[in-house]
Amino acid sequence: MAENPHRSTPRSPDRSTRDSRPSGEVSPWALAGLGMQFFAAILLFVYAGNWLDRRLGTAPLFLLGGVLVGGGGAFYSGYRRLTAAQREPRASHDDRDDSTPEH
């Protein structure tokens, strides 16, 4: 059976066609879990603070500390993740001055 030359075979897209965002922009899918991470960190530290309060009899002291530490840590982690794309080095062609001749 002769193969049809006009029929194209499906190709998997390469990385350059799938990810065509500028180098300073972060994918929304990479940041999709930030809200859940924030919630889980606060919940974990509140639980630990409540456990310590029941164990030591120090009413809301460790509970409030858990809210502050969990929320602060989650905020800092999210901030670092959001600004990570800005800290990455640019591609080498972005650093080159267009007026400089190539050798």
Side-chain angles (χ1 to χ4, degrees):
M1 192 186 280
E3 192 168 319
N4 187 355
H6 299 290
R7 182 179 165 165
S8 64
T9 59
R11 296 183 306 156
S12 62
D14 60 347
R15 190 158 193 68
S16 63
T17 58
R18 278 188 291 153
D19 194 12
S20 61
R21 284 181 303 281
S23 60
E25 196 172 324
V26 180
S27 165
W29 293 110
L31 305 174
L34 280 179
M36 193 61 169
Q37 177 184 344
F38 192 79
F39 174 74
I42 291 176
L43 190 65
L44 177 73
F45 279 94
V46 163
Y47 179 76
N50 193 26
W51 180 81
L52 278 172
D53 279 336
R54 279 187 283 130
R55 198 99 149 115
L56 302 174
T58 56
L61 182 67
F62 287 108
L63 177 71
L64 293 175
V67 169
L68 292 175
V69 170
F75 178 80
Y76 180 72
S77 174
Y79 176 78
R80 296 280 297 195
R81 189 179 296 179
L82 286 170
T83 59
Q86 295 173 357
R87 289 190 312 266
E88 289 178 0
R90 303 281 184 194
S92 62
H93 68 278
D94 290 342
D95 294 336
R96 189 182 67 219
D97 186 5
D98 289 336
S99 64
T100 306
E102 291 186 24
H103 296 287

